[in-house]
Amino acid sequence: MKEKTELIVTGMHCAACSSRVEKVLKKIPGVEDAVVNLSLGRAVVLSQEKLTIDNLIGSIEKIGFGATPYIAKPFGDIEAGLQLEEEHSYRRDVIIGLALSIPMMIGMIGGGFHISWLMGLHNPYLQAFLATIVQFGVGWRFYKEAWGAFKGGGMDMSTLVVLGTTAAYGFSWYQLLLNSGHQVYFETSAFLISFILLGKYLETRAKGRTSEAIRSLMALRPDTAKRVVNGIEQEVPVDYLEVGHIVRVRPGERIPTDGKIILGQGSVDESMMTGESLPIEKAIGNQVVGGTISLTGSMDLEVTKVGGDTVLARIIRTVEDAQTHKAPIQRLADQISSIFVPTVLAISGVTFLGWYFWGNPGDLESALIHSVAVLVIACPCALGLATPTSIMVGTGRGAELGVLFRGGGQLETLHRATVLVLDKTGTLTEGKLKVSELLGSDEEKILTFAAALEIRSEHPIGKAIVAEAAERKYKLPVAETIEVIPGKGIQGVIEGQIYYAGTSKFLSDMGIDLAQWIAEGEKMASRGSSLIYFGSNSKFIGLIGVADQVRKESKEVVAQLESQGIEVWMLTGDHKGTAEAIAEQIGILHVVAQVLPEEKSAKIAEIQKTGKIVAMVGDGINDAPALTQADVGIAMGSGTDVAMATADVTLMGGDLRHLVTAFDLSKATIKNIKQNLFWAFIFNLIGIPAAALGYLTPILAGAAMAMSSVTVVTNALRLKGFQSKK
């Protein structure tokens, strides 16, 4: 198990920044991998052994960035405070910068039009004074960042800003002191810094909105709970609750934590978990989830999970992890960003030489202005933000709709899936099995003895057999030395004899002749029943048919996915006849039945060898190997914890329609990323040549550069309004 260390990194502004932090972290002894998310401002470091946090922070600080340990709190939001602090810092500097720059621009206009009462503001010494405050006051942050980049052996956005504005500022002093103040550009350097700061401020505000999904999830948990002690209610902070405590929830109140109803009943709004607005009826013995809302009825709950173990806390952590991980599509942006700044510097140099020797020969002023415009327009902020902001908003929106993505990579892979493999029981069906048919001379013995073997079973079929025996009020004998054979059945000793319950193959392997009963079993299977053969001492005793209800949405979901060109398979350990009957009812053409858990993963591997990308949906422990083998493993939220822990995507609440949402959201997010990358690339492809050819002034270039980042983030925010076509 790899150790994971998380840090909050401050001072990053572009893809070059995050790339430089990644490189320095990867060089530290013991570090196996490091991923830095620019939008979140978070670094995730993987290692075999626990690393010294001070060493990691020190390495980051040496290259000019700040770092603090990330402390995972189930319902805390460290980034929110830091983001707000950064936003206020930018807002302060923008106000100062514009307050000093605008009079300079007014003076320039007044001087150009010879407006006497504005001429005073055009005084070059006054402009030099105001520009100096902007350049080395609010603009000092860029110098610090550029120096940090230089010490780290790299260059970033701040390098371009510093070189561009310093060139304009320095040239203005040259004109003022050595050339009688002819054509100074103090307002250019001041306005450039102010515009860039304004762009960073707007970008920071927009980035803050990308984490709203997490903050809205955090807000679902109430601060206090009504704990019941000896029949008396006590209002206590939720953090004080422990497993086993009793809490009371009245209509209209949020359930404070996960628990089991021990008194009362009512309906609960679980839309925050499932994405569905219909209330769920709850009674004694039912589980409830913290953060959901009690609509009707008063209920007393026994606390079953607290803090980071609750469903809500796990959802929040899953979304955070998803937002931290990079999607493969981001590698393109990272690779380009690593060579972008040096390339821009080269282009700026060529622009200077081109204008000085050929454009306007000998005109230092013109050459300098055009080369500065190139430096300013090319800042790679938009490129660095293109992917992570879309991933953040997309995964956050997924959580709101009941779809949890484990990472950006899974979100990207899902949209490329060409084959969808579905388990049957609990996935395509409700998983609420009921004994439908019995074949044998002594129904009571068949049911009671089979139920005795299955009494402790968690398998839906076993539970159905036990429930039927209980409903008929049969008294169960005692079974001993019970052994479960995965994918085959169960055996145990009852009244001194070994009994077997399971598949036909299992009983045949135990020496029981089923020849005359197979045909009857096929008939039962054709009616949609799962078969449990029962026998002992080489003798067939009976056959139990257990039927499951197909989820009402299964047929619709399969049809929608196939209409998108996705090939749908059913993969089940159930009897072939039963599987085919269910498949026909739903509209699935590809069926593989009577497979063991390890055979499921082998079948998926076989499909993958044909070059197809496979997504697998399952809900049980037996599905875990297949979920791991698939390119994307998808677990039903109503299934086992093992399945959900193994899966890349979890469909909360067990509604199969969330599967369509997952596919649609994956496609929408990747489309959004491609749009962002397109605009980021096209901006530079058009902007850099335009600046080099003299069509953009440095001020216009600065304004355009600032707005490019805002445009990318704003486009990503459109995903907040995503709605599935289901």
Side-chain angles (χ1 to χ4, degrees):
M1 183 74 179
K2 291 184 179 180
E3 291 284 343
K4 183 167 75 172
T5 307
E6 294 184 69
L7 301 168
I8 294 174
V9 183
T10 57
M12 296 189 299
H13 301 284
C14 63
C17 298
S18 57
S19 179
R20 200 161 72 254
V21 175
E22 279 187 4
K23 287 179 181 177
V24 76
L25 288 172
K26 288 177 180 178
K27 290 179 181 178
I28 297 174
V31 173
E32 292 192 354
D33 195 18
V35 178
V36 179
N37 186 295
L38 175 64
S39 294
L40 274 180
R42 197 179 316 162
V44 178
V45 182
L46 298 178
S47 59
Q48 287 293 344
E49 299 179 353
K50 192 75 174 176
L51 298 171
T52 305
I53 199 82
D54 291 342
N55 188 24
L56 298 175
I57 292 174
S59 298
I60 294 172
E61 289 178 343
K62 283 181 182 177
I63 58 173
F65 301 100
T68 56
Y70 173 77
I71 304 170
K73 295 182 178 180
F75 301 98
D77 190 4
I78 298 173
E79 285 97 336
L82 292 173
Q83 186 270 329
L84 193 62
E85 183 181 332
E86 185 180 28
E87 184 181 318
H88 288 166
S89 174
Y90 275 123
R91 183 171 60 189
R92 179 200 64 218
D93 289 351
V94 166
I95 292 172
I96 295 172
L98 290 177
L100 297 174
S101 300
I102 289 174
M104 297 168 67
M105 185 61 69
I106 293 173
M108 184 186 71
I109 295 171
F113 289 94
H114 302 286
I115 303 173
S116 57
W117 61 279
L118 294 177
M119 293 287 287
L121 293 175
H122 193 53
N123 184 296
Y125 290 97
L126 174 62
Q127 293 207 347
F129 173 73
L130 297 176
T132 300
I133 298 174
V134 176
Q135 189 76 29
F136 301 107
V138 296
W140 186 246
R141 65 169 71 222
F142 297 115
Y143 285 91
K144 290 194 295 183
E145 292 159 5
W147 177 244
F150 178 76
K151 288 197 300 181
M155 292 175 286
D156 60 9
M157 182 205 80
S158 296
T159 306
L160 300 181
V161 173
V162 165
L163 289 174
T165 60
T166 303
Y169 178 81
F171 181 73
S172 296
W173 274 108
Y174 166 80
Q175 292 284 72
L176 180 61
L177 299 177
L178 301 176
N179 203 16
S180 305
H182 173 72
Q183 197 60 43
V184 296
Y185 293 92
F186 287 118
E187 78 284 344
T188 299
S189 66
F191 253 102
L192 276 176
I193 289 175
S194 300
F195 270 132
I196 293 167
L197 288 172
L198 177 61
K200 299 308 295 182
Y201 168 66
L202 295 174
E203 178 191 310
T204 304
R205 286 197 63 183
K207 281 165 59 178
R209 292 180 59 198
T210 63
S211 298
E212 283 180 5
I214 290 181
R215 286 196 285 273
S216 63
L217 285 170
M218 292 173 176
L220 292 175
R221 191 191 75 154
D223 296 325
T224 61
K226 295 182 178 69
R227 185 188 171 193
V228 180
V229 182
N230 297 325
I232 301 173
E233 290 183 16
Q234 300 175 345
E235 189 164 340
V236 299
V238 171
D239 292 333
Y240 287 9
L241 294 177
E242 297 178 4
V243 174
H245 284 178
I246 308 300
V247 296
R248 183 164 293 159
V249 182
R250 291 189 170 85
E253 296 179 345
R254 285 199 181 273
I255 296 170
T257 192
D258 296 2
K260 182 175 68 176
I261 300 174
I262 59 172
L263 181 65
Q265 60 182 20
S267 60
V268 177
D269 177 1
E270 294 187 341
S271 58
M272 73 90 178
M273 185 178 70
T274 65
E276 301 297 327
S277 58
L278 293 176
I280 308 296
E281 296 297 324
K282 299 286 186 178
I284 292 175
N286 290 155
Q287 299 287 332
V288 292
V289 175
T292 58
I293 303 172
S294 174
L295 299 177
T296 62
S298 179
M299 297 173 287
D300 283 6
L301 316 173
E302 180 184 344
V303 176
T304 56
K305 291 179 181 177
V306 296
D309 295 329
T310 64
V311 170
L312 180 58
R314 283 165 34 207
I315 290 174
I316 292 170
R317 191 61 179 162
T318 299
V319 176
E320 286 184 328
D321 288 345
Q323 295 181 347
T324 304
H325 289 82
K326 288 184 179 180
I329 196 172
Q330 191 171 341
R331 294 172 190 153
L332 174 63
D334 290 346
Q335 290 169 356
I336 292 173
S337 295
S338 64
I339 60 171
F340 190 80
V341 175
T343 302
V344 169
L345 288 175
I347 295 172
S348 178
V350 171
T351 300
F352 179 88
L353 295 173
W355 279 95
Y356 187 77
F357 289 106
W358 294 285
N360 291 321
D363 189 344
L364 178 63
E365 180 182 318
S366 176
L368 183 66
I369 292 301
H370 296 315
S371 63
V372 168
V374 170
L375 291 175
V376 173
I377 194 85
C379 292
C381 304
L383 191 61
L385 294 167
T387 298
T389 49
S390 296
I391 294 293
M392 288 178 67
V393 181
T395 52
R397 182 57 179 158
E400 293 173 348
L401 296 174
V403 180
L404 297 183
F405 288 93
R406 191 175 292 275
Q410 291 82 3
L411 192 150
E412 180 181 346
T413 303
L414 185 60
H415 99 284
R416 297 187 290 112
T418 54
V419 174
L420 176 66
V421 177
L422 294 152
D423 178 47
K424 180 180 74 70
T425 305
T427 301
L428 290 166
T429 65
E430 296 284 354
K432 300 175 182 176
L433 302 177
K434 185 175 176 58
V435 174
S436 55
E437 298 179 73
L438 276 169
L439 182 64
S441 58
D442 190 345
E443 288 190 357
E444 182 174 353
K445 181 177 180 180
I446 296 169
L447 265 180
T448 54
F449 277 48
L453 294 177
E454 302 279 6
I455 190 70
R456 294 183 183 87
S457 174
E458 291 296 317
H459 196 284
I461 291 177
K463 288 182 176 181
I465 294 171
V466 174
E468 182 68 20
E471 189 176 323
R472 298 190 184 193
K473 298 182 178 177
Y474 289 158
K475 185 178 179 181
L476 304 186
V478 177
E480 300 174 331
T481 60
I482 296 173
E483 183 182 358
V484 177
I485 295 86
K488 295 182 178 181
I490 191 169
Q491 66 182 44
V493 177
I494 304 175
E495 298 176 352
Q497 293 188 31
I498 299 179
Y499 287 84
Y500 308 96
T503 65
S504 57
K505 186 177 184 306
F506 176 48
L507 266 70
S508 296
D509 291 343
M510 294 300 105
I512 299 174
D513 184 11
L514 302 176
Q516 61 180 318
W517 305 105
I518 293 297
E520 292 296 327
E522 294 290 346
K523 291 179 183 178
M524 291 171 64
S526 67
R527 293 190 288 270
S529 292
S530 297
L531 307 178
I532 299 90
Y533 290 85
F534 188 68
S536 175
N537 291 340
S538 304
K539 180 182 177 184
F540 171 81
I541 300 175
L543 180 58
I544 306 172
V546 177
D548 192 3
Q549 293 295 312
V550 174
R551 291 181 186 269
K552 60 182 183 292
E553 72 271 15
S554 292
K555 186 174 183 178
E556 176 191 357
V557 169
V558 169
Q560 285 181 317
L561 293 172
E562 287 187 335
S563 70
Q564 297 179 21
I566 298 170
E567 190 177 295
V568 181
W569 289 60
M570 178 194 291
L571 194 60
T572 178
D574 210 344
H575 186 275
K576 184 179 180 186
T578 305
E580 289 177 345
I582 298 293
E584 185 177 0
Q585 185 179 343
I586 296 172
I588 296 176
L589 300 178
H590 306 278
V591 181
V592 181
Q594 294 177 278
V595 289
L596 298 173
E598 59 269 25
E599 294 173 336
K600 285 187 177 182
S601 59
K603 183 62 184 178
I604 288 175
E606 184 184 320
I607 298 172
Q608 289 171 323
K609 286 179 182 177
T610 65
K612 296 177 179 178
I613 297 174
V614 181
M616 162 78 185
V617 186
D619 75 320
I621 294 174
N622 63 320
D623 296 321
L627 291 172
T628 303
Q629 176 63 44
D631 296 287
V632 182
I634 305 171
M636 301 295 289
S638 55
T640 65
D641 288 343
V642 174
M644 287 186 280
T646 307
D648 302 306
V649 185
T650 300
L651 309 180
M652 301 303 297
D655 191 333
L656 203 58
R657 287 173 296 183
H658 290 333
L659 187 58
V660 179
T661 300
F663 273 93
D664 288 348
L665 179 59
S666 173
K667 292 175 181 177
T669 304
I670 298 305
K671 181 180 178 181
N672 191 271
I673 290 172
K674 289 178 178 178
Q675 290 170 348
N676 285 346
L677 289 173
F678 171 80
W679 288 115
F681 284 132
I682 206 71
F683 170 83
N684 283 296
L685 285 173
I686 295 173
I688 292 175
L693 294 171
Y695 294 111
L696 286 176
T697 66
I699 291 178
L700 287 177
M705 183 278 294
M707 293 310 299
S708 67
S709 297
V710 178
T711 300
V712 164
V713 177
T714 303
N715 185 56
L717 288 171
R718 292 193 304 112
L719 288 170
K720 290 175 66 67
F722 166 84
Q723 292 292 338
S724 177
K725 299 174 184 176
K726 64 177 183 178

